[in-house]
């Protein structure tokens, strides 16, 4: 583990950790959709992994850009899934945007609400008055995820108010949200509707922006936090902006090809297939002696050849072949490929072809 400083400069490889991440960090700041559950159902291994991490002394906090549900409802849902949680363990973008509005408007201000119950409760918690119509004399407009049943007319209502010059706030701008049946449109897609209609730009509170990090720090008091998420453009970038370490899990919207092409602010400290990564040490990624731009992790080496990323298994004596002692972990190959791709990309995004390398790992 190299600590939080390197992340501000943009890392060129995933870090290793000699001890389990649940021992190295005091608090896990966990995203929910695509990390703990999808479409309301627990993601495989999440319940068991989080239970083990908690039993070992790690504090678990759930930090979500989904503004639809209240912390009480989220905590109850987690508990039903077998993950005991209290409302105080849940931090939402609804809470962050409500604090942002309350900092800028007088107490008792009316706010046109475009979203669900989680946003309504958060506004009231901050002494604001949610209203339903642009004709209810609101002082501002706030937009948060309202679920798939949110009527189209709510976007029109927001557009009318924003076009009149009212300040416009958004809980978050995630374009998509994972569900039980696949990836659906998120609040960011709904925000785009109003942006297109009005030409205006909202003030955004959720990850990866500072208001959400501020809300999380205020509510958790974490001293050595680890951000755990599935989205590079919110979870990982939010950790980068906050100067803290991060674990990307591949159970949500990010695939390996996207990870290899990550720009510096989207590169996680660690990578894991799922939340079981909290419970184990993380392997080191090391430069291969005598081979410029090549890296090794576990039983895999990665390099560049002919404008493409290449990954190969390395035998016990160093020759290419099958690893001694059984099957290799494809994720070690991914970590080695990340090092090659991120080093080659520098401050940009890697454009090297990864198709054959991912096929070699069984991930194409």
């Amino acid at each position: 583990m190299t600590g939080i400083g390197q992340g501000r400069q943009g890392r060129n490889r995933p870090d290793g950790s000699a001890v389990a991440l649940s021992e190295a960090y005091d608090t896990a700041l966990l995203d929910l959709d695509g990390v703990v559950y999808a479409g309301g159902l627990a993601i495989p291994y999440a319940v068991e992994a989080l239970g083990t991490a908690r039993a070992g002394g790690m504090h678990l906090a759930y930090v979500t850009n989904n503004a639809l549900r209240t912390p009480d409802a989220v905590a109850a849902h987690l508990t039903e899934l077998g993950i005991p949680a209290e409302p105080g363990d849940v931090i939402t973008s609804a809470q962050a945007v409500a604090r942002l509005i309350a900092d800028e408007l007088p107490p008792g201000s009316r706010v046109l609400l475009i979203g669900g119950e989680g946003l309504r409760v958060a506004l009231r918690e901050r002494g604001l008055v949610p209203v339903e119509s642009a004709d209810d004399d609101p002082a501002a407009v706030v937009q948060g995820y309202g679920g798939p049943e949110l009527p189209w007319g709510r976007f029109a209502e927001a557009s009318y108010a924003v076009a009149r010059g009212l300040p416009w706030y958004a809980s978050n701008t995630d374009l998509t949200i994972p569900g039980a049946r696949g990836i659906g449109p998120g609040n960011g897609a709904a925000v785009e509707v109003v942006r297109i209609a009005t030409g205006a730009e909202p003030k955004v509170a959720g990850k990866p922006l500072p208001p959400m990090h501020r809300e999380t720090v205020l509510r958790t008091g974490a001293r050595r936090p680890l951000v755990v998420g599935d989205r590079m453009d919110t979870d990982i970038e939010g950790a980068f902006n906050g100067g803290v370490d991060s674990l990307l899990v591949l159970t949500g919207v990010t695939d390996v090809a996207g990870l290899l092409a990550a720009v510096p602010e989207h590169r996680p400290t660690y990578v894991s297939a799922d939340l079981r990564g909290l419970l184990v040490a993380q392997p080191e990624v090391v430069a291969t002696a005598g081979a410029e731009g090549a890296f090794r992790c576990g039983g895999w080496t990665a390099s560049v050849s002919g404008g493409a990323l290449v990954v190969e298994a390395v035998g016990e004596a160093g020759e290419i072949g099958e690893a001694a002692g059984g099957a290799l972990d494809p994720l070690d190959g991914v970590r080695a490929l990340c090092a090659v791709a991120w080093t080659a990309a520098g401050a940009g995004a890697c454009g090297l072809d990864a198709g054959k390398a991912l096929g070699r790992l069984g991930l194409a």
Side-chain angles (χ1 to χ4, degrees):
M1 182 175 65
T2 61
I4 65 177
Q6 186 181 49
R8 294 299 305 160
Q9 302 171 6
R11 65 185 63 257
N12 68 354
R13 71 185 81 173
D15 280 1
S17 175
V19 300
L21 298 183
S22 58
E23 299 175 25
Y25 299 89
D26 69 340
T27 304
L29 305 179
L30 295 134
D31 184 42
L32 287 171
D33 295 291
V35 176
V36 178
Y37 54 61
L41 302 177
I43 285 174
Y45 310 112
V47 174
E48 298 84 355
L50 292 177
T52 301
R54 184 192 304 105
M58 190 178 216
H59 177 219
L60 306 180
Y62 304 93
V63 185
T64 177
N65 264 0
N66 190 334
L68 179 60
R69 296 192 294 171
T70 66
D72 295 74
V74 173
H77 180 206
L78 288 168
T79 301
E80 289 173 2
L81 293 176
I83 305 169
E86 299 294 331
D89 298 326
V90 180
I91 301 95
T92 74
S93 63
Q95 294 171 320
V97 77
R99 188 186 295 270
L100 178 61
I101 298 169
D103 285 348
E104 299 182 356
L105 297 180
S109 294
R110 293 175 170 228
V111 180
L112 176 59
L113 167 66
I114 311 298
E117 185 65 14
L119 190 51
R120 186 184 310 277
V121 169
L123 290 172
R124 288 175 174 161
E125 183 184 62
R126 290 290 156 204
L128 301 165
V129 180
V131 298
E132 296 298 316
S133 171
D135 298 329
D136 289 335
D137 195 27
V141 181
V142 64
Q143 191 170 356
Y145 183 63
E149 307 304 321
L150 187 69
W152 185 261
R154 300 306 295 156
F155 307 142
E157 203 66 35
S159 299
Y160 303 149
V162 172
R164 295 173 188 173
L166 293 184
W168 175 30
Y169 300 84
S171 64
N172 67 299
T173 52
D174 298 40
L175 290 173
T176 59
I177 185 169
R181 298 173 60 197
I183 304 297
N187 191 54
V191 167
E192 283 299 311
V193 172
V194 179
R195 179 186 281 121
I196 291 168
T198 64
E201 291 290 333
K203 293 184 178 181
V204 183
K207 297 178 287 186
L209 298 173
M212 188 67 170
H213 182 70
R214 174 192 176 204
E215 191 73 21
T216 301
V217 170
L218 287 172
R219 290 180 180 266
T220 65
R223 300 182 65 182
R224 298 191 320 278
L226 177 70
V227 170
V228 184
D230 69 310
R231 299 188 71 104
M232 297 187 298
D233 59 347
T234 56
D235 305 314
I236 306 308
E237 185 175 342
F240 178 89
N241 290 339
V244 299
D245 288 349
S246 60
L247 168 66
L248 180 79
V249 291
L250 299 173
T251 49
V253 301
T254 299
D255 59 17
V256 175
L259 174 62
L260 297 177
V263 294
E265 62 268 28
H266 291 173
R267 296 171 186 168
T269 315
Y270 311 104
V271 182
S272 179
D274 50 57
L275 286 175
R276 289 177 295 178
L278 287 172
L279 308 179
V280 296
Q282 298 294 306
E284 294 284 347
V285 182
V286 297
T288 301
E292 184 177 357
F295 291 85
R296 176 171 179 168
C297 183
W300 296 98
T301 60
S303 59
V304 178
S305 178
L309 294 170
V310 176
V311 65
E312 299 172 300
V314 178
E316 193 171 32
E319 69 276 3
I320 302 301
E322 293 301 322
L328 295 169
D329 182 355
L331 205 57
D332 286 343
V334 170
R335 296 180 179 108
L337 285 170
C338 283
V340 174
W342 297 350
T343 299
C350 181
L352 297 169
D353 180 25
K356 289 185 178 179
L358 296 184
R360 175 75 174 86
L361 295 173
L363 300 172

